[in-house]
Each structure stands twice: as structure tokens, then as C-alpha cells.
Amino acid sequence: MIAKKYDASKDKQFQILDQNGKVVNEKMEPKLPKETLLKMYKTAVLGRNADIKALQYQRQGRMLTYAPNMGQEAAQIGMAASMEPQDWNSPMYRELNTLLYRGDKLENVFLYWYGNERGSIKPEGVKILPTNIIIGSQSNIAAGLAMASKIRKTNEVTAFTIGDGGTAHGEFYEGLNFAASFKAPVVAVIQNNQWAISTPVRKASNSETLAQKGVAFGIPYIQVDGNDMLAMYVASKEAMDRARKGDGPTLIEAFTYRMGPHTTSDDPSIYRTKEEENEWAKKDPIARFKTYLINKGYWSEEEDKKLEEEVLAEINDTFKKVESYGANVELIEIFEHTYAEMTPQLKEQYEEHKKYLEGVK
């Protein structure tokens, strides 16, 4: 088991690609098909550019608050690529690349951050729950969903992600403790991007690593170079296989970095230095993976330039479409998507607010 060989409590971090895109752990390099590797890279490029454009749209007053993912592409896609179609994601709010890789539409993502409830409606067959804004709630939801899968014997695994600051919240422990106690098929990934808004990870936890919090649950744990797409895939795949066999959860700490602000309401220059940002920029997960693909003969600079043009056109066209209808939200849509059918309480709330709005007019 990788988690035993790379013991986070003994300062061992799992890595396959170094920051220059060189394979430094040949024995652990996964034998993934060229098509899969290219899908991983193209998703990352789309996600990175969509992040940059979303920031611009928000600054132009064309989108509401947005949570960028820049720098965390490998942590998200490496995990997503290890999942089977029947598996579930219980996502946090910073999960763009996971959503895109697993089949959600960029249009839905933009709609969500545009303030339209329809953005949470996933395409048929895409097993991703709506975004969790309440910190840590995705842990309990994942544990419950995984337990249901175990009881029903559906061969499904549920993966949830959480930030470094989120591991200080009670629901993170409650969910994982339940999953561990009942050996529910859960994979937990901490996206340690070093900052919980302006709180550095050293203040969020006194633990040497976040991975070793797995000791308390009695489950395997591992710290992975979260900017290494291959290492994230291999560690996540082992965890998924283990959960699917009935051996319970695994805790993965993806050691990565948030390149942009926490959200568009944040200014990271207030609490972190340019020197720190520049050092992490050298470890850019996309640049690293691009070099790896070029060295394997799977990619070229010419193809890269063409891809950049294609994704920018796709992003612009998608957002224009969202702008054309995204603001047309009916009042009932705010209430009708929580349950399969509206509860009496929701119906009452809807009628009350409808009456209020009619009075305002």
C-alpha cells in the first residue's frame, strides 16, 4: 500500500513528477492511455482559462462572487480521473476541474456562479451532488451517501473534497468518523492550498501534516504532491479500489497552492507575499504536466497554442449564452430543487415570499 510506504507522519510525500515535469518515481508511473492523459491536460487548460475569464467577468459586474481554482487543477483532476462512472462526488465550492472532467457542463458552472439555481442540475448520468457551501457539510453527506451505496451493494464509491481550513470544522470529523466506523466506501481528499482565506495552515492546525489526522479515524492516510497529476491519480486510484473492496475510507492530503484569491471578495496581497507566490508559480501543475506530455511525444507547443484558442472561444461563447438567459429566474426555482418534491414547509415559504413580492410591487 502506497500510504504505508509514504508515511506522512515521517515527513514522506508521494510524488511521481517533479516541478520540472521529470519522472522521478518510475516504478509508480501509471500506464494510462494517451487519450486519458490528454483528457486530463485539456480539462486543466479549460479549467485554468475559465477561472481567469470568470475573474474578469466578475470584475466587470457580469457575474456574482466566484471561487477560483487556479493552481489546484492536478489535485482535482488526478482524483476525478481515478473514479468510475458509477461513483459519486460530494464537492466543495472550489471544484471546477473535477466537475468538468466528470462530465458537468461549463455552462452549468457559470450559471451557478451567476446566481441561477439551474446551474446545480447535472447532466443525465453525471453523479455529482450540488456544491456544498457550508464548510465541512460535504463530509457528512458523503458518508451518508456511501453508507447507502454499501447497504444497496451498488459498487459505488463517494469522494469528497475539503480545504485545509475545513479540516478544523466539526463536520469533517463527524463524517469521516462515521465512514471509518462502518467502513463506508469513501475517499476523502484535503486540498491543502496553504490558506483558509487569510488563515495559514500552520494556524488552522497544530498537526505536522493534515494527512495524519487519519490516525484518529484508524484509516490509511497519505500526503501527496498535489501539483503532480500522476501522483494524485495513483494515490486516489488505490484509495478508490480499497473502498470498493469494502475496506473503508482513505484520507489523502493534496499539498498544493491557491494561486488566486480565495474568492473574488478577497485580496491575497494583504496576507501573503509575492515571494511566496513566485515560488509556488514554479510548481505550476499545468506547466509540469505539459512538459511530461511533450517529453512522451504526446503533445506539442503548436497543439498547445491551438488548444488555448479553442478553449477561449468555448468559454466566451458559453458565457454569452449564460448572459442571454441566466438572469431569467422564476421565484419558484429557488425553492423547488431542494427535494424531489417540495415539502409543505417549502411550499409555505414560497407562497409567503410570493405574496410579499406582490405587495412590494
Side-chain angles (χ1 to χ4, degrees), residues 56 70 81 177 202-203 231 264 272 334 350:
Q56 294 173 0
M70 293 177 289
N177 187 63
R202 66 181 180 275
K203 289 187 178 180
T264 46
R272 68 187 191 194
I334 299 172
Y350 164 65

Side-chain angles (χ1 to χ4, degrees), residues 194-239:
Q194 312 304 315
W195 293 93
I197 311 183
S198 59
T199 302
V201 68
R202 66 181 180 275
K203 289 187 178 180
S205 175
N206 194 45
S207 181
E208 288 184 22
T209 69
L210 299 180
Q212 65 200 71
K213 289 178 182 285
V215 172
F217 305 116
I219 61 175
Y221 58 90
I222 185 171
Q223 186 188 74
V224 181
D225 180 346
N227 286 10
D228 178 352
M229 197 94 72
L230 299 184
M232 279 302 302
Y233 169 82
V234 170
S236 299
K237 184 67 167 64
E238 182 176 274

Side-chain angles (χ1 to χ4, degrees), residues 76-91:
Q76 296 172 9
I77 295 170
M79 179 201 72
S82 74
M83 301 179 73
E84 299 291 338
Q86 73 269 23
D87 296 336
W88 286 93
N89 279 105
S90 179

